PDB file of all heavy atoms in Angstrom:
ATOM      1  N   ARG A1137      -0.801   7.479   3.880  1.00 88.00           N
ATOM      2  CA  ARG A1137      -1.210   8.870   3.666  1.00 88.00           C
ATOM      3  C   ARG A1137      -1.192   9.206   2.176  1.00 88.00           C
ATOM      4  O   ARG A1137      -2.112   9.854   1.663  1.00 88.00           O
ATOM      5  CB  ARG A1137      -0.287   9.809   4.434  1.00 88.00           C
ATOM      6  CG  ARG A1137      -0.763  11.247   4.421  1.00 88.00           C
ATOM      7  CD  ARG A1137       0.118  12.175   5.236  1.00 88.00           C
ATOM      8  NE  ARG A1137       0.237  11.702   6.610  1.00 88.00           N
ATOM      9  CZ  ARG A1137       1.386  11.537   7.252  1.00 88.00           C
ATOM     10  NH1 ARG A1137       2.531  11.795   6.661  1.00 88.00           N
ATOM     11  NH2 ARG A1137       1.408  11.098   8.496  1.00 88.00           N
ATOM     12  N   ASN A1138      -0.163   8.748   1.458  1.00 88.00           N
ATOM     13  CA  ASN A1138      -0.087   8.988   0.017  1.00 88.00           C
ATOM     14  C   ASN A1138      -1.216   8.286  -0.723  1.00 88.00           C
ATOM     15  O   ASN A1138      -1.796   8.852  -1.663  1.00 88.00           O
ATOM     16  CB  ASN A1138       1.260   8.515  -0.532  1.00 88.00           C
ATOM     17  CG  ASN A1138       2.405   9.363  -0.046  1.00 88.00           C
ATOM     18  OD1 ASN A1138       2.226  10.508   0.367  1.00 88.00           O
ATOM     19  ND2 ASN A1138       3.609   8.804  -0.076  1.00 88.00           N
ATOM     20  N   LYS A1139      -1.550   7.063  -0.307  1.00 87.00           N
ATOM     21  CA  LYS A1139      -2.644   6.339  -0.952  1.00 87.00           C
ATOM     22  C   LYS A1139      -3.988   7.013  -0.684  1.00 87.00           C
ATOM     23  O   LYS A1139      -4.851   7.069  -1.562  1.00 87.00           O
ATOM     24  CB  LYS A1139      -2.694   4.883  -0.474  1.00 87.00           C
ATOM     25  CG  LYS A1139      -1.535   4.070  -0.925  1.00 87.00           C
ATOM     26  CD  LYS A1139      -1.462   4.033  -2.432  1.00 87.00           C
ATOM     27  CE  LYS A1139      -0.241   3.295  -2.908  1.00 87.00           C
ATOM     28  NZ  LYS A1139      -0.058   3.381  -4.344  1.00 87.00           N
ATOM     29  N   ARG A1140      -4.175   7.541   0.511  1.00 87.00           N
ATOM     30  CA  ARG A1140      -5.424   8.239   0.829  1.00 87.00           C
ATOM     31  C   ARG A1140      -5.551   9.512   0.007  1.00 87.00           C
ATOM     32  O   ARG A1140      -6.619   9.828  -0.512  1.00 87.00           O
ATOM     33  CB  ARG A1140      -5.489   8.564   2.311  1.00 87.00           C
ATOM     34  CG  ARG A1140      -6.811   9.201   2.704  1.00 87.00           C
ATOM     35  CD  ARG A1140      -6.857   9.533   4.191  1.00 87.00           C
ATOM     36  NE  ARG A1140      -8.137  10.027   4.601  1.00 87.00           N
ATOM     37  CZ  ARG A1140      -8.620  11.231   4.334  1.00 87.00           C
ATOM     38  NH1 ARG A1140      -7.917  12.071   3.627  1.00 87.00           N
ATOM     39  NH2 ARG A1140      -9.807  11.592   4.758  1.00 87.00           N
ATOM     40  N   VAL A1141      -4.467  10.253  -0.140  1.00 88.00           N
ATOM     41  CA  VAL A1141      -4.491  11.481  -0.934  1.00 88.00           C
ATOM     42  C   VAL A1141      -4.791  11.157  -2.396  1.00 88.00           C
ATOM     43  O   VAL A1141      -5.599  11.836  -3.040  1.00 88.00           O
ATOM     44  CB  VAL A1141      -3.153  12.240  -0.789  1.00 88.00           C
ATOM     45  CG1 VAL A1141      -3.017  13.334  -1.831  1.00 88.00           C
ATOM     46  CG2 VAL A1141      -3.039  12.828   0.603  1.00 88.00           C
ATOM     47  N   SER A1142      -4.183  10.095  -2.928  1.00 89.00           N
ATOM     48  CA  SER A1142      -4.453   9.732  -4.324  1.00 89.00           C
ATOM     49  C   SER A1142      -5.895   9.250  -4.502  1.00 89.00           C
ATOM     50  O   SER A1142      -6.519   9.536  -5.522  1.00 89.00           O
ATOM     51  CB  SER A1142      -3.463   8.681  -4.808  1.00 89.00           C
ATOM     52  OG  SER A1142      -3.618   7.490  -4.092  1.00 89.00           O
ATOM     53  N   LEU A1143      -6.448   8.540  -3.511  1.00 84.00           N
ATOM     54  CA  LEU A1143      -7.845   8.130  -3.582  1.00 84.00           C
ATOM     55  C   LEU A1143      -8.773   9.332  -3.571  1.00 84.00           C
ATOM     56  O   LEU A1143      -9.724   9.404  -4.357  1.00 84.00           O
ATOM     57  CB  LEU A1143      -8.190   7.187  -2.426  1.00 84.00           C
ATOM     58  CG  LEU A1143      -9.660   6.780  -2.320  1.00 84.00           C
ATOM     59  CD1 LEU A1143     -10.047   5.883  -3.479  1.00 84.00           C
ATOM     60  CD2 LEU A1143      -9.941   6.110  -0.998  1.00 84.00           C
ATOM     61  N   MET A1144      -8.494  10.295  -2.710  1.00 85.00           N
ATOM     62  CA  MET A1144      -9.347  11.489  -2.657  1.00 85.00           C
ATOM     63  C   MET A1144      -9.226  12.306  -3.941  1.00 85.00           C
ATOM     64  O   MET A1144     -10.213  12.897  -4.397  1.00 85.00           O
ATOM     65  CB  MET A1144      -9.000  12.337  -1.438  1.00 85.00           C
ATOM     66  CG  MET A1144      -9.326  11.657  -0.106  1.00 85.00           C
ATOM     67  SD  MET A1144     -10.985  11.000   0.007  1.00 85.00           S
ATOM     68  CE  MET A1144     -11.936  12.479   0.127  1.00 85.00           C
ATOM     69  N   ASN A1145      -8.040  12.350  -4.540  1.00 87.00           N
ATOM     70  CA  ASN A1145      -7.884  13.026  -5.833  1.00 87.00           C
ATOM     71  C   ASN A1145      -8.689  12.323  -6.913  1.00 87.00           C
ATOM     72  O   ASN A1145      -9.309  12.970  -7.764  1.00 87.00           O
ATOM     73  CB  ASN A1145      -6.409  13.096  -6.237  1.00 87.00           C
ATOM     74  CG  ASN A1145      -5.642  14.100  -5.430  1.00 87.00           C
ATOM     75  OD1 ASN A1145      -6.202  15.023  -4.848  1.00 87.00           O
ATOM     76  ND2 ASN A1145      -4.332  13.913  -5.365  1.00 87.00           N
ATOM     77  N   TRP A1146      -8.685  10.992  -6.885  1.00 86.00           N
ATOM     78  CA  TRP A1146      -9.458  10.245  -7.872  1.00 86.00           C
ATOM     79  C   TRP A1146     -10.957  10.444  -7.648  1.00 86.00           C
ATOM     80  O   TRP A1146     -11.712  10.584  -8.603  1.00 86.00           O
ATOM     81  CB  TRP A1146      -9.092   8.766  -7.787  1.00 86.00           C
ATOM     82  CG  TRP A1146      -9.878   7.913  -8.720  1.00 86.00           C
ATOM     83  CD1 TRP A1146      -9.754   7.860 -10.072  1.00 86.00           C
ATOM     84  CD2 TRP A1146     -10.923   7.016  -8.373  1.00 86.00           C
ATOM     85  NE1 TRP A1146     -10.651   6.957 -10.597  1.00 86.00           N
ATOM     86  CE2 TRP A1146     -11.377   6.426  -9.575  1.00 86.00           C
ATOM     87  CE3 TRP A1146     -11.504   6.635  -7.171  1.00 86.00           C
ATOM     88  CZ2 TRP A1146     -12.393   5.491  -9.592  1.00 86.00           C
ATOM     89  CZ3 TRP A1146     -12.514   5.700  -7.204  1.00 86.00           C
ATOM     90  CH2 TRP A1146     -12.952   5.140  -8.400  1.00 86.00           C
ATOM     91  N   LEU A1147     -11.385  10.454  -6.380  1.00 82.00           N
ATOM     92  CA  LEU A1147     -12.813  10.645  -6.094  1.00 82.00           C
ATOM     93  C   LEU A1147     -13.297  12.032  -6.483  1.00 82.00           C
ATOM     94  O   LEU A1147     -14.459  12.222  -6.813  1.00 82.00           O
ATOM     95  CB  LEU A1147     -13.091  10.396  -4.612  1.00 82.00           C
ATOM     96  CG  LEU A1147     -13.099   8.940  -4.162  1.00 82.00           C
ATOM     97  CD1 LEU A1147     -13.307   8.860  -2.666  1.00 82.00           C
ATOM     98  CD2 LEU A1147     -14.139   8.140  -4.899  1.00 82.00           C
ATOM     99  N   SER A1148     -12.434  13.017  -6.417  1.00 83.00           N
ATOM    100  CA  SER A1148     -12.846  14.380  -6.775  1.00 83.00           C
ATOM    101  C   SER A1148     -12.517  14.718  -8.225  1.00 83.00           C
ATOM    102  O   SER A1148     -12.662  15.862  -8.627  1.00 83.00           O
ATOM    103  CB  SER A1148     -12.182  15.387  -5.834  1.00 83.00           C
ATOM    104  OG  SER A1148     -10.777  15.306  -5.957  1.00 83.00           O
ATOM    105  N   SER A1149     -12.114  13.728  -9.014  1.00 84.00           N
ATOM    106  CA  SER A1149     -11.766  13.992 -10.407  1.00 84.00           C
ATOM    107  C   SER A1149     -13.019  14.219 -11.242  1.00 84.00           C
ATOM    108  O   SER A1149     -14.102  13.730 -10.941  1.00 84.00           O
ATOM    109  CB  SER A1149     -10.953  12.836 -10.991  1.00 84.00           C
ATOM    110  OG  SER A1149     -11.759  11.690 -11.101  1.00 84.00           O
ATOM    111  N   ALA A1150     -12.834  14.959 -12.310  1.00 86.00           N
ATOM    112  CA  ALA A1150     -13.952  15.273 -13.199  1.00 86.00           C
ATOM    113  C   ALA A1150     -14.383  14.049 -13.998  1.00 86.00           C
ATOM    114  O   ALA A1150     -15.559  13.916 -14.339  1.00 86.00           O
ATOM    115  CB  ALA A1150     -13.555  16.400 -14.145  1.00 86.00           C
ATOM    116  N   GLU A1151     -13.453  13.149 -14.294  1.00 86.00           N
ATOM    117  CA  GLU A1151     -13.792  11.964 -15.087  1.00 86.00           C
ATOM    118  C   GLU A1151     -14.771  11.058 -14.353  1.00 86.00           C
ATOM    119  O   GLU A1151     -15.726  10.561 -14.940  1.00 86.00           O
ATOM    120  CB  GLU A1151     -12.529  11.166 -15.442  1.00 86.00           C
ATOM    121  CG  GLU A1151     -11.606  11.858 -16.400  1.00 86.00           C
ATOM    122  CD  GLU A1151     -10.630  12.782 -15.704  1.00 86.00           C
ATOM    123  OE1 GLU A1151     -10.539  12.725 -14.462  1.00 86.00           O
ATOM    124  OE2 GLU A1151      -9.979  13.566 -16.388  1.00 86.00           O
ATOM    125  N   LEU A1152     -14.525  10.832 -13.071  1.00 84.00           N
ATOM    126  CA  LEU A1152     -15.415   9.966 -12.299  1.00 84.00           C
ATOM    127  C   LEU A1152     -16.797  10.599 -12.148  1.00 84.00           C
ATOM    128  O   LEU A1152     -17.821   9.925 -12.297  1.00 84.00           O
ATOM    129  CB  LEU A1152     -14.812   9.673 -10.930  1.00 84.00           C
ATOM    130  CG  LEU A1152     -15.553   8.663 -10.075  1.00 84.00           C
ATOM    131  CD1 LEU A1152     -15.594   7.308 -10.759  1.00 84.00           C
ATOM    132  CD2 LEU A1152     -14.908   8.547  -8.722  1.00 84.00           C
ATOM    133  N   GLU A1153     -16.826  11.883 -11.882  1.00 86.00           N
ATOM    134  CA  GLU A1153     -18.110  12.569 -11.752  1.00 86.00           C
ATOM    135  C   GLU A1153     -18.860  12.581 -13.082  1.00 86.00           C
ATOM    136  O   GLU A1153     -20.083  12.391 -13.118  1.00 86.00           O
ATOM    137  CB  GLU A1153     -17.885  13.998 -11.262  1.00 86.00           C
ATOM    138  CG  GLU A1153     -19.157  14.707 -10.896  1.00 86.00           C
ATOM    139  CD  GLU A1153     -18.886  16.000 -10.153  1.00 86.00           C
ATOM    140  OE1 GLU A1153     -17.737  16.270  -9.791  1.00 86.00           O
ATOM    141  OE2 GLU A1153     -19.865  16.733  -9.941  1.00 86.00           O
ATOM    142  N   GLU A1154     -18.134  12.764 -14.173  1.00 88.00           N
ATOM    143  CA  GLU A1154     -18.766  12.737 -15.489  1.00 88.00           C
ATOM    144  C   GLU A1154     -19.325  11.358 -15.811  1.00 88.00           C
ATOM    145  O   GLU A1154     -20.419  11.228 -16.357  1.00 88.00           O
ATOM    146  CB  GLU A1154     -17.745  13.141 -16.549  1.00 88.00           C
ATOM    147  CG  GLU A1154     -18.279  13.121 -17.964  1.00 88.00           C
ATOM    148  CD  GLU A1154     -17.193  13.431 -18.973  1.00 88.00           C
ATOM    149  OE1 GLU A1154     -16.170  14.017 -18.602  1.00 88.00           O
ATOM    150  OE2 GLU A1154     -17.387  13.061 -20.140  1.00 88.00           O
ATOM    151  N   PHE A1155     -18.589  10.308 -15.438  1.00 85.00           N
ATOM    152  CA  PHE A1155     -19.063   8.950 -15.676  1.00 85.00           C
ATOM    153  C   PHE A1155     -20.350   8.671 -14.909  1.00 85.00           C
ATOM    154  O   PHE A1155     -21.303   8.105 -15.454  1.00 85.00           O
ATOM    155  CB  PHE A1155     -17.982   7.942 -15.278  1.00 85.00           C
ATOM    156  CG  PHE A1155     -18.419   6.519 -15.420  1.00 85.00           C
ATOM    157  CD1 PHE A1155     -18.462   5.921 -16.667  1.00 85.00           C
ATOM    158  CD2 PHE A1155     -18.810   5.784 -14.310  1.00 85.00           C
ATOM    159  CE1 PHE A1155     -18.862   4.603 -16.809  1.00 85.00           C
ATOM    160  CE2 PHE A1155     -19.216   4.468 -14.445  1.00 85.00           C
ATOM    161  CZ  PHE A1155     -19.246   3.880 -15.698  1.00 85.00           C
ATOM    162  N   ILE A1156     -20.393   9.064 -13.641  1.00 85.00           N
ATOM    163  CA  ILE A1156     -21.588   8.809 -12.834  1.00 85.00           C
ATOM    164  C   ILE A1156     -22.751   9.671 -13.297  1.00 85.00           C
ATOM    165  O   ILE A1156     -23.904   9.214 -13.318  1.00 85.00           O
ATOM    166  CB  ILE A1156     -21.271   9.016 -11.338  1.00 85.00           C
ATOM    167  CG1 ILE A1156     -20.379   7.867 -10.868  1.00 85.00           C
ATOM    168  CG2 ILE A1156     -22.529   9.092 -10.496  1.00 85.00           C
ATOM    169  CD1 ILE A1156     -19.937   7.962  -9.449  1.00 85.00           C
ATOM    170  N   ASN A1157     -22.470  10.898 -13.717  1.00 85.00           N
ATOM    171  CA  ASN A1157     -23.545  11.759 -14.205  1.00 85.00           C
ATOM    172  C   ASN A1157     -24.001  11.386 -15.610  1.00 85.00           C
ATOM    173  O   ASN A1157     -25.104  11.752 -16.006  1.00 85.00           O
ATOM    174  CB  ASN A1157     -23.109  13.218 -14.166  1.00 85.00           C
ATOM    175  CG  ASN A1157     -22.989  13.726 -12.746  1.00 85.00           C
ATOM    176  OD1 ASN A1157     -23.681  13.242 -11.852  1.00 85.00           O
ATOM    177  ND2 ASN A1157     -22.111  14.672 -12.518  1.00 85.00           N
ATOM    178  N   THR A1158     -23.185  10.655 -16.364  1.00 89.00           N
ATOM    179  CA  THR A1158     -23.577  10.211 -17.696  1.00 89.00           C
ATOM    180  C   THR A1158     -24.640   9.121 -17.619  1.00 89.00           C
ATOM    181  O   THR A1158     -25.517   9.039 -18.476  1.00 89.00           O
ATOM    182  CB  THR A1158     -22.347   9.681 -18.469  1.00 89.00           C
ATOM    183  OG1 THR A1158     -21.371  10.712 -18.528  1.00 89.00           O
ATOM    184  CG2 THR A1158     -22.707   9.262 -19.869  1.00 89.00           C
ATOM    185  N   TYR A1159     -24.561   8.298 -16.591  1.00 88.00           N
ATOM    186  CA  TYR A1159     -25.498   7.183 -16.426  1.00 88.00           C
ATOM    187  C   TYR A1159     -26.306   7.351 -15.140  1.00 88.00           C
ATOM    188  O   TYR A1159     -26.167   6.576 -14.204  1.00 88.00           O
ATOM    189  CB  TYR A1159     -24.740   5.856 -16.388  1.00 88.00           C
ATOM    190  CG  TYR A1159     -23.876   5.632 -17.595  1.00 88.00           C
ATOM    191  CD1 TYR A1159     -22.496   5.770 -17.519  1.00 88.00           C
ATOM    192  CD2 TYR A1159     -24.444   5.298 -18.804  1.00 88.00           C
ATOM    193  CE1 TYR A1159     -21.699   5.570 -18.629  1.00 88.00           C
ATOM    194  CE2 TYR A1159     -23.661   5.098 -19.922  1.00 88.00           C
ATOM    195  CZ  TYR A1159     -22.287   5.232 -19.833  1.00 88.00           C
ATOM    196  OH  TYR A1159     -21.504   5.035 -20.933  1.00 88.00           O
ATOM    197  N   PRO A1160     -27.201   8.358 -15.067  1.00 86.00           N
ATOM    198  CA  PRO A1160     -27.918   8.591 -13.799  1.00 86.00           C
ATOM    199  C   PRO A1160     -28.913   7.486 -13.459  1.00 86.00           C
ATOM    200  O   PRO A1160     -29.058   7.132 -12.293  1.00 86.00           O
ATOM    201  CB  PRO A1160     -28.625   9.923 -14.027  1.00 86.00           C
ATOM    202  CG  PRO A1160     -28.780  10.025 -15.505  1.00 86.00           C
ATOM    203  CD  PRO A1160     -27.590   9.313 -16.091  1.00 86.00           C
ATOM    204  N   TYR A1161     -29.596   6.925 -14.468  1.00 89.00           N
ATOM    205  CA  TYR A1161     -30.587   5.894 -14.173  1.00 89.00           C
ATOM    206  C   TYR A1161     -29.928   4.623 -13.665  1.00 89.00           C
ATOM    207  O   TYR A1161     -30.415   3.992 -12.731  1.00 89.00           O
ATOM    208  CB  TYR A1161     -31.443   5.599 -15.411  1.00 89.00           C
ATOM    209  CG  TYR A1161     -32.253   6.792 -15.847  1.00 89.00           C
ATOM    210  CD1 TYR A1161     -32.066   7.361 -17.093  1.00 89.00           C
ATOM    211  CD2 TYR A1161     -33.192   7.366 -14.992  1.00 89.00           C
ATOM    212  CE1 TYR A1161     -32.802   8.461 -17.489  1.00 89.00           C
ATOM    213  CE2 TYR A1161     -33.930   8.463 -15.367  1.00 89.00           C
ATOM    214  CZ  TYR A1161     -33.728   9.018 -16.623  1.00 89.00           C
ATOM    215  OH  TYR A1161     -34.442  10.106 -17.002  1.00 89.00           O
ATOM    216  N   ARG A1162     -28.811   4.251 -14.269  1.00 87.00           N
ATOM    217  CA  ARG A1162     -28.090   3.068 -13.805  1.00 87.00           C
ATOM    218  C   ARG A1162     -27.549   3.284 -12.394  1.00 87.00           C
ATOM    219  O   ARG A1162     -27.551   2.371 -11.572  1.00 87.00           O
ATOM    220  CB  ARG A1162     -26.935   2.749 -14.755  1.00 87.00           C
ATOM    221  CG  ARG A1162     -27.395   2.302 -16.102  1.00 87.00           C
ATOM    222  CD  ARG A1162     -26.224   2.048 -17.008  1.00 87.00           C
ATOM    223  NE  ARG A1162     -26.677   1.774 -18.360  1.00 87.00           N
ATOM    224  CZ  ARG A1162     -25.879   1.659 -19.375  1.00 87.00           C
ATOM    225  NH1 ARG A1162     -24.573   1.784 -19.217  1.00 87.00           N
ATOM    226  NH2 ARG A1162     -26.353   1.413 -20.571  1.00 87.00           N
ATOM    227  N   THR A1163     -27.103   4.487 -12.134  1.00 86.00           N
ATOM    228  CA  THR A1163     -26.563   4.805 -10.811  1.00 86.00           C
ATOM    229  C   THR A1163     -27.638   4.698  -9.741  1.00 86.00           C
ATOM    230  O   THR A1163     -27.444   4.052  -8.709  1.00 86.00           O
ATOM    231  CB  THR A1163     -25.965   6.218 -10.814  1.00 86.00           C
ATOM    232  OG1 THR A1163     -24.940   6.291 -11.791  1.00 86.00           O
ATOM    233  CG2 THR A1163     -25.407   6.583  -9.460  1.00 86.00           C
ATOM    234  N   TYR A1164     -28.783   5.325  -9.990  1.00 87.00           N
ATOM    235  CA  TYR A1164     -29.858   5.271  -9.003  1.00 87.00           C
ATOM    236  C   TYR A1164     -30.434   3.861  -8.883  1.00 87.00           C
ATOM    237  O   TYR A1164     -30.831   3.444  -7.798  1.00 87.00           O
ATOM    238  CB  TYR A1164     -30.955   6.282  -9.338  1.00 87.00           C
ATOM    239  CG  TYR A1164     -30.535   7.694  -9.055  1.00 87.00           C
ATOM    240  CD1 TYR A1164     -30.551   8.658 -10.046  1.00 87.00           C
ATOM    241  CD2 TYR A1164     -30.095   8.070  -7.783  1.00 87.00           C
ATOM    242  CE1 TYR A1164     -30.154   9.954  -9.781  1.00 87.00           C
ATOM    243  CE2 TYR A1164     -29.699   9.358  -7.519  1.00 87.00           C
ATOM    244  CZ  TYR A1164     -29.728  10.293  -8.522  1.00 87.00           C
ATOM    245  OH  TYR A1164     -29.331  11.569  -8.257  1.00 87.00           O
ATOM    246  N   PHE A1165     -30.480   3.111  -9.981  1.00 88.00           N
ATOM    247  CA  PHE A1165     -30.945   1.730  -9.917  1.00 88.00           C
ATOM    248  C   PHE A1165     -30.016   0.898  -9.043  1.00 88.00           C
ATOM    249  O   PHE A1165     -30.470   0.107  -8.216  1.00 88.00           O
ATOM    250  CB  PHE A1165     -31.041   1.134 -11.328  1.00 88.00           C
ATOM    251  CG  PHE A1165     -31.473  -0.295 -11.341  1.00 88.00           C
ATOM    252  CD1 PHE A1165     -32.800  -0.619 -11.100  1.00 88.00           C
ATOM    253  CD2 PHE A1165     -30.562  -1.309 -11.583  1.00 88.00           C
ATOM    254  CE1 PHE A1165     -33.210  -1.943 -11.107  1.00 88.00           C
ATOM    255  CE2 PHE A1165     -30.962  -2.629 -11.586  1.00 88.00           C
ATOM    256  CZ  PHE A1165     -32.286  -2.951 -11.360  1.00 88.00           C
ATOM    257  N   PHE A1166     -28.700   1.091  -9.213  1.00 87.00           N
ATOM    258  CA  PHE A1166     -27.739   0.358  -8.395  1.00 87.00           C
ATOM    259  C   PHE A1166     -27.891   0.727  -6.921  1.00 87.00           C
ATOM    260  O   PHE A1166     -27.839  -0.140  -6.054  1.00 87.00           O
ATOM    261  CB  PHE A1166     -26.315   0.643  -8.876  1.00 87.00           C
ATOM    262  CG  PHE A1166     -25.272  -0.193  -8.204  1.00 87.00           C
ATOM    263  CD1 PHE A1166     -25.132  -1.521  -8.527  1.00 87.00           C
ATOM    264  CD2 PHE A1166     -24.434   0.340  -7.247  1.00 87.00           C
ATOM    265  CE1 PHE A1166     -24.181  -2.310  -7.920  1.00 87.00           C
ATOM    266  CE2 PHE A1166     -23.482  -0.424  -6.625  1.00 87.00           C
ATOM    267  CZ  PHE A1166     -23.348  -1.761  -6.968  1.00 87.00           C
ATOM    268  N   LEU A1167     -28.101   2.012  -6.631  1.00 86.00           N
ATOM    269  CA  LEU A1167     -28.279   2.428  -5.235  1.00 86.00           C
ATOM    270  C   LEU A1167     -29.564   1.866  -4.639  1.00 86.00           C
ATOM    271  O   LEU A1167     -29.597   1.486  -3.471  1.00 86.00           O
ATOM    272  CB  LEU A1167     -28.276   3.946  -5.126  1.00 86.00           C
ATOM    273  CG  LEU A1167     -26.923   4.632  -5.243  1.00 86.00           C
ATOM    274  CD1 LEU A1167     -27.098   6.149  -5.190  1.00 86.00           C
ATOM    275  CD2 LEU A1167     -25.980   4.174  -4.162  1.00 86.00           C
ATOM    276  N   LEU A1168     -30.627   1.818  -5.429  1.00 86.00           N
ATOM    277  CA  LEU A1168     -31.891   1.279  -4.924  1.00 86.00           C
ATOM    278  C   LEU A1168     -31.845  -0.233  -4.746  1.00 86.00           C
ATOM    279  O   LEU A1168     -32.511  -0.772  -3.862  1.00 86.00           O
ATOM    280  CB  LEU A1168     -33.038   1.645  -5.873  1.00 86.00           C
ATOM    281  CG  LEU A1168     -33.466   3.105  -5.852  1.00 86.00           C
ATOM    282  CD1 LEU A1168     -34.527   3.359  -6.925  1.00 86.00           C
ATOM    283  CD2 LEU A1168     -34.001   3.490  -4.491  1.00 86.00           C
ATOM    284  N   MET A1169     -31.053  -0.914  -5.559  1.00 88.00           N
ATOM    285  CA  MET A1169     -30.970  -2.366  -5.469  1.00 88.00           C
ATOM    286  C   MET A1169     -29.908  -2.843  -4.482  1.00 88.00           C
ATOM    287  O   MET A1169     -29.834  -4.033  -4.188  1.00 88.00           O
ATOM    288  CB  MET A1169     -30.690  -2.959  -6.849  1.00 88.00           C
ATOM    289  CG  MET A1169     -31.824  -2.761  -7.833  1.00 88.00           C
ATOM    290  SD  MET A1169     -33.388  -3.443  -7.261  1.00 88.00           S
ATOM    291  CE  MET A1169     -33.059  -5.169  -7.383  1.00 88.00           C
ATOM    292  N   THR A1170     -29.108  -1.943  -3.937  1.00 86.00           N
ATOM    293  CA  THR A1170     -28.045  -2.318  -3.013  1.00 86.00           C
ATOM    294  C   THR A1170     -28.565  -3.095  -1.793  1.00 86.00           C
ATOM    295  O   THR A1170     -27.940  -4.078  -1.394  1.00 86.00           O
ATOM    296  CB  THR A1170     -27.239  -1.084  -2.577  1.00 86.00           C
ATOM    297  OG1 THR A1170     -26.577  -0.556  -3.728  1.00 86.00           O
ATOM    298  CG2 THR A1170     -26.209  -1.424  -1.534  1.00 86.00           C
ATOM    299  N   PRO A1171     -29.687  -2.708  -1.170  1.00 84.00           N
ATOM    300  CA  PRO A1171     -30.166  -3.519  -0.039  1.00 84.00           C
ATOM    301  C   PRO A1171     -30.447  -4.975  -0.410  1.00 84.00           C
ATOM    302  O   PRO A1171     -30.166  -5.885   0.365  1.00 84.00           O
ATOM    303  CB  PRO A1171     -31.454  -2.817   0.397  1.00 84.00           C
ATOM    304  CG  PRO A1171     -31.281  -1.420  -0.043  1.00 84.00           C
ATOM    305  CD  PRO A1171     -30.484  -1.488  -1.304  1.00 84.00           C
ATOM    306  N   LEU A1172     -30.947  -5.202  -1.608  1.00 85.00           N
ATOM    307  CA  LEU A1172     -31.177  -6.566  -2.055  1.00 85.00           C
ATOM    308  C   LEU A1172     -29.864  -7.254  -2.409  1.00 85.00           C
ATOM    309  O   LEU A1172     -29.664  -8.429  -2.118  1.00 85.00           O
ATOM    310  CB  LEU A1172     -32.116  -6.574  -3.260  1.00 85.00           C
ATOM    311  CG  LEU A1172     -32.524  -7.932  -3.800  1.00 85.00           C
ATOM    312  CD1 LEU A1172     -33.296  -8.698  -2.745  1.00 85.00           C
ATOM    313  CD2 LEU A1172     -33.343  -7.770  -5.041  1.00 85.00           C
ATOM    314  N   PHE A1173     -28.950  -6.510  -3.030  1.00 87.00           N
ATOM    315  CA  PHE A1173     -27.659  -7.075  -3.415  1.00 87.00           C
ATOM    316  C   PHE A1173     -26.799  -7.429  -2.206  1.00 87.00           C
ATOM    317  O   PHE A1173     -25.898  -8.259  -2.320  1.00 87.00           O
ATOM    318  CB  PHE A1173     -26.880  -6.107  -4.292  1.00 87.00           C
ATOM    319  CG  PHE A1173     -27.450  -5.912  -5.672  1.00 87.00           C
ATOM    320  CD1 PHE A1173     -27.196  -4.755  -6.379  1.00 87.00           C
ATOM    321  CD2 PHE A1173     -28.237  -6.879  -6.266  1.00 87.00           C
ATOM    322  CE1 PHE A1173     -27.705  -4.566  -7.645  1.00 87.00           C
ATOM    323  CE2 PHE A1173     -28.751  -6.705  -7.532  1.00 87.00           C
ATOM    324  CZ  PHE A1173     -28.483  -5.544  -8.223  1.00 87.00           C
ATOM    325  N   LEU A1174     -27.048  -6.834  -1.053  1.00 86.00           N
ATOM    326  CA  LEU A1174     -26.250  -7.142   0.136  1.00 86.00           C
ATOM    327  C   LEU A1174     -26.467  -8.571   0.625  1.00 86.00           C
ATOM    328  O   LEU A1174     -25.695  -9.063   1.440  1.00 86.00           O
ATOM    329  CB  LEU A1174     -26.580  -6.160   1.262  1.00 86.00           C
ATOM    330  CG  LEU A1174     -25.876  -4.818   1.195  1.00 86.00           C
ATOM    331  CD1 LEU A1174     -26.365  -3.908   2.301  1.00 86.00           C
ATOM    332  CD2 LEU A1174     -24.380  -4.979   1.287  1.00 86.00           C
ATOM    333  N   VAL A1175     -27.505  -9.230   0.117  1.00 87.00           N
ATOM    334  CA  VAL A1175     -27.736 -10.624   0.465  1.00 87.00           C
ATOM    335  C   VAL A1175     -26.561 -11.481   0.005  1.00 87.00           C
ATOM    336  O   VAL A1175     -26.158 -12.406   0.704  1.00 87.00           O
ATOM    337  CB  VAL A1175     -29.057 -11.079  -0.184  1.00 87.00           C
ATOM    338  CG1 VAL A1175     -28.984 -12.390  -0.868  1.00 87.00           C
ATOM    339  CG2 VAL A1175     -30.142 -11.116   0.832  1.00 87.00           C
TER     340      VAL A1175
END
């Protein structure tokens, strides 16, 4: 339960959101290439 709460705190942190929003093209490229990467 403590690990889940800390994970959710990390997922809702401003640093992680800022990092993903800083690199939008890389993020969307990774999401689009995920079906191929699953090989």
